[in-house]
Structures are given as structure tokens and as C-alpha cells.
Amino acid sequence: AQTVTQSQPEMSVQEAETVTLSCTYDTSESDYYLFWYKQPPSRQMILVIRQEAYKQQNATENRFSVNFQKAAKSFSLKISDSQLGDAAMYFCAYRSVNGGSQGNLIFGKGTKLSVKP
Amino acid sequence: NAGVTQTPKFQVLKTGQSMTLQCAQDMNHEYMSWYRQDPGMGLRLIHYSVGAGITDQGEVPNGYNVSRSTTEDFPLRLLSAAPSQTSVYFCASLRTAGYPEAFFGQGTRLTVV
């Protein structure tokens, strides 16, 4: 079974600085999807960025980028020019390309990010 | 453009009471799931469905029941609420055609006293 590990329960960053959130996962599959979700105090789950395992190129969405290391099974999220609105819980998630029971999202335990003005 | 509609937003139950959390999606997705979120535990899968009439258990199914009579609706039933079921619950609808993406309901904060 696949697992997702986020080893940093809490992180803090100064406004306008850069922060990296770590995520590692375990799988025997060669093709899969990885996601970062943001959960602000409103509880809403917001997709930040996604990565397909077969793509070598790291995904980027504005100030958010990932460092995808397939061999190391690592999927870290870098937030550049941090803003107060980035303060939230961040979840790393894995999804198999297969269907059935493997088609569900598997989440890490989350990293709570605070942004200092 | 509703997406996933989950109700209620908040609920307080007494131990032993039953209730149903409602979830509806208008995107014609076959995959739907229920998760619970507890502090320090992330989101854990309770039950899921891969289509109307088909449901299966996830990681933490005990004390919950689901059914999927239509593609749109996937209610979650608490049979006899216990304090251990105090949590935040999320319904999700998963797109499988094209790029896979999950769409979440707004969440339900349930307190069992």
C-alpha cells in the first residue's frame, strides 16, 4: 500500500521569503500523480499544484513550484515570495493511475505553515 | 456551477444519535469518497464509491454506512454516534477522465457529546 509522509508538522516563514515543505512517499508503482493541497482556516481544500510521475519537468504555478525526485520518492513544495495569505495547512497527496480502491487520494498528515509579517 | 455540495456545515450530536451527512455533485463523476480529518492525522478515507450501486470501505469505515443510488449523491450515515467520531468530514468527487482531479465539499464539523 502507498503511504505519504510529511515530516514537518509546522513551519514558519517571514513574509516575502521562500519556504520549502517536504513530502516523501512510498509506492511500487511507476506511474502516479502527486498533489499539494492548501487548507486555509475556512477549511476549504484548494489544489495548489500537481505533478504526473512520468513527467521529468517539475510543475510550476506562479509562486509555487515543486521539486520532484522520482528515484528518491520525494515531492517538496517551494513557496516563493511568501504572502500572509499563504498561511494554511498544506497536504501532500498521492493518487494511483489505476482505478478501484487505488483510485483514491492518499494524504500526508499535513504541515501547518505560518507567515510572519 | 455548484461542484460538490456538502451539508450541514456544523452539527452537534449526542452519543448514540444517528445522522446523515449529505453530499451531491453535478459533474457526473463516477468516483466519490468520504474522508475524515483529525488533528495530526491528515485526511483518512472512510468509504468510497466507483459508481452508482458500488461502494467499498476505506481505512476507517467502522461506525459509518454509505450508499450510492445515483451518480450524483453519496450520503454518509453515522449509525450510533460516538465521541470518537468528533471530526471534520469531507466529501470528494474525483474526475477520472482526462487529468485526475478531486473536488471537495466545504466540510462538516461534527461534534459528538
Side-chain angles (χ1 to χ4, degrees):
Chain A
Q2 295 85 9
T3 59
V4 176
T5 301
Q6 293 178 251
S7 59
Q8 306 152 317
E10 295 187 20
M11 292 280 287
S12 181
V13 64
Q14 205 73 33
E15 195 176 6
E17 297 295 310
T18 296
V19 64
T20 299
L21 308 184
S22 300
C23 173
T24 58
Y25 57 94
D26 189 26
T27 184
S28 59
E29 298 179 325
S30 59
D31 199 11
Y32 45 86
Y33 303 98
L34 295 165
F35 306 87
W36 278 99
Y37 282 90
K38 172 186 178 181
Q39 186 184 46
S42 66
R43 280 206 313 258
Q44 185 181 4
M45 293 290 287
I46 302 167
L47 177 63
V48 175
I49 200 165
R50 58 193 180 194
Q51 176 80 43
E52 296 149 304
Y54 70 86
K55 287 188 176 180
Q56 297 286 345
Q57 187 173 5
N58 289 325
T60 300
E61 288 286 344
N62 300 314
R63 297 182 297 106
F64 299 87
S65 61
V66 298
N67 184 7
F68 174 49
Q69 301 291 327
K70 190 173 183 179
K73 296 179 183 176
S74 172
F75 184 60
S76 60
L77 175 69
K78 185 172 82 171
I79 306 174
S80 304
D81 185 25
S82 296
Q83 301 176 358
L84 295 177
D86 295 333
M89 183 72 81
Y90 286 83
F91 292 101
C92 179
Y94 172 104
R95 186 180 182 188
S96 171
V97 299
N98 299 315
S101 62
Q102 297 175 297
N104 291 292
L105 286 169
I106 301 169
F107 288 89
K109 294 185 177 181
T111 297
K112 184 177 181 180
L113 178 67
S114 58
V115 181
K116 298 178 180 177
Chain B
N1 195 22
V4 179
T5 302
Q6 181 182 339
T7 57
K9 271 188 175 180
F10 301 94
Q11 184 71 50
V12 178
L13 288 179
K14 293 182 178 179
T15 298
Q17 286 185 318
S18 63
M19 77 159 295
T20 299
L21 279 64
Q22 302 291 344
C23 179
Q25 53 97 2
D26 61 358
M27 297 169 284
N28 203 34
H29 292 164
E30 294 295 328
Y31 246 101
M32 294 186 75
S33 308
W34 276 101
Y35 293 86
R36 62 176 288 172
Q37 180 182 4
D38 302 291
M41 299 298 291
L43 280 76
R44 293 180 293 169
L45 183 66
I46 304 172
H47 284 285
Y48 67 96
S49 169
V50 299
I54 306 170
T55 64
D56 206 346
Q57 297 180 351
E59 181 184 354
V60 288
N62 292 340
Y64 307 95
N65 197 8
V66 293
S67 59
R68 185 93 179 271
S69 57
T70 66
T71 299
E72 293 78 20
D73 300 300
F74 190 44
L76 177 72
R77 298 181 185 84
L78 279 71
L79 308 173
S80 177
S84 60
Q85 293 179 303
T86 293
S87 186
V88 177
Y89 292 85
F90 285 96
C91 176
S93 173
L94 285 74
R95 180 173 67 196
T96 53
Y99 204 106
E101 185 174 348
F103 298 83
F104 289 87
Q106 60 190 356
T108 299
R109 180 174 291 280
L110 174 68
T111 303
V112 183
V113 298

